[in-house]
Amino acid sequence: MPPPAAAPVITIRPPKGWAPLEIEEFLAAHELLYFLVLRNLKLRYKQTALGAAWALLQPLLTMVVFAVIFGRLARLGSDGLPYPLFALLALVPWTYFANALTQAGNSLVDQQQLLTKVYFPRLLLPLAAVIAGLADLAIAFLLLLLVLTWYGIPLSIRLLAAPGFVLLAVASAIAPGIWLAALNVRYRDVRYAIPFLVQIWLFATPVAYSSSLVPERWRPLYGLNPMAGVVDGFRWMIAPAAPGLGTGFAASVAAVVVLFLGGLYFFRRMERSFADVV
């Protein structure tokens, strides 16, 4: 009787240097991404008394505070719109961005048990956190349409550009999110730095004020903040006196592309050690 053939031995080694992005492997895991997004949605408001109503309350209550402080007391300009509507146009994408960035940055550390037990494309975790936040953004956008109706402002054909600005908001969240998620695995200081970063980023973004306050020659530099382009885009859809989408908006798109591509390669280089150091 011949001896049985030896079983094949497969050795998995971490890549060295700058690893390729493995786009095919990532696309093949689309079903896992779907279940991760579904799980994030189920856990988002678990054991909360108000549930998904928080998606409305966060931008709505912040709008009230901004309207009192910056609209009534500071009397900041509002591009020809009632200040509450002017603020809400910025708070809808900003609230999504702030929550998505925070959850993406903590996604790997929060799910370290899953990270250490089975292999899958690690990029799915921050990406699922950003995609799950789109449900809240959709609810907040409905609130924005209701407020437009309340003020008697007709819907402009420019609203058809909304998906493009939402896509830019998603890219603006995932691009720094994957940088922070990778750094958070090795340096837990990042968890405490993220809330501070979001606060600083809020004041660097034209949420409470109009970007028309920025001198024209500084617009391209100011536009390197991707959220400046997103907020300007949302206001451009509604406000007749809002600044046009010129060089500042182009700078926002270019900045987010560079930040995203750089983040992908940095994440791939760092992910080989995630399971060991998390």
Side-chain angles (χ1 to χ4, degrees):
M1 182 175 180
V9 177
I10 300 176
T11 303
I12 301 176
R13 300 181 186 279
K16 296 181 179 179
W18 292 98
L21 295 180
E22 302 287 359
I23 301 297
E24 293 181 357
E25 179 190 53
F26 180 76
L27 295 177
H30 62 277
E31 290 188 6
L32 178 58
L33 176 62
Y34 167 76
F35 286 109
L36 288 173
V37 172
L38 192 61
R39 187 192 62 167
N40 285 351
L41 287 173
K42 290 180 178 178
L43 294 177
R44 180 172 292 267
Y45 297 113
K46 187 178 181 181
Q47 294 184 330
T48 60
L50 299 179
W54 282 110
L56 291 174
L57 290 175
Q58 290 181 63
L60 188 62
L61 296 179
T62 310
M63 178 195 73
V64 173
V65 173
F66 275 36
V68 172
I69 297 177
F70 299 108
R72 189 169 292 270
L73 299 180
R75 297 187 180 279
L76 295 181
S78 55
D79 293 342
L81 292 174
Y83 190 88
L85 175 59
F86 170 82
L88 187 62
L89 280 167
L91 288 169
V92 167
W94 173 262
T95 304
Y96 162 75
F97 167 78
N99 290 334
L101 177 63
T102 302
Q103 295 183 17
N106 292 319
S107 58
L108 297 179
V109 174
D110 288 344
Q111 302 176 67
Q112 54 184 285
Q113 292 185 345
L114 179 62
L115 203 64
T116 55
K117 289 182 177 177
V118 62
Y119 175 76
F120 61 92
R122 311 310 200 195
L123 187 62
L124 294 181
L125 291 177
L127 186 59
V130 171
I131 293 176
L134 288 174
D136 287 355
L137 179 61
I139 295 173
F141 197 83
L142 292 177
L143 169 66
L144 176 61
L145 295 180
L146 289 176
V147 174
L148 281 175
T149 305
W150 171 268
Y151 281 106
I153 296 178
L155 301 183
S156 167
I157 193 172
R158 289 181 177 181
L159 282 171
L160 295 177
F165 297 127
V166 170
L167 182 61
L168 183 58
V170 172
S172 300
I174 190 63
I178 55 180
W179 281 90
L180 294 173
L183 290 170
N184 200 6
V185 172
R186 187 172 294 272
Y187 308 105
R188 297 303 165 82
D189 311 71
V190 175
R191 172 180 288 274
Y192 303 100
I194 289 176
F196 180 69
L197 173 65
V198 170
Q199 286 184 354
I200 297 298
W201 208 323
L202 171 65
F203 291 107
T205 302
V207 175
Y209 55 89
S210 171
S211 61
S212 60
L213 295 177
V214 180
E216 187 67 32
R217 66 180 183 278
W218 294 107
R219 295 284 176 81
L221 180 62
Y222 186 70
L224 293 179
N225 171 9
M227 281 307 295
V230 174
V231 169
D232 280 347
F234 267 70
R235 285 180 177 149
W236 172 82
M237 291 190 296
I238 303 298
L245 303 179
T247 54
F249 184 78
S252 294
V253 175
V256 80
V257 169
V258 172
L259 191 62
F260 180 65
L261 292 178
L264 284 179
Y265 280 99
F266 178 72
F267 192 93
R268 282 286 295 163
R269 184 177 176 85
M270 297 285 288
E271 73 172 339
R272 73 187 67 168
S273 61
F274 285 168
D276 298 324
V277 300
V278 70

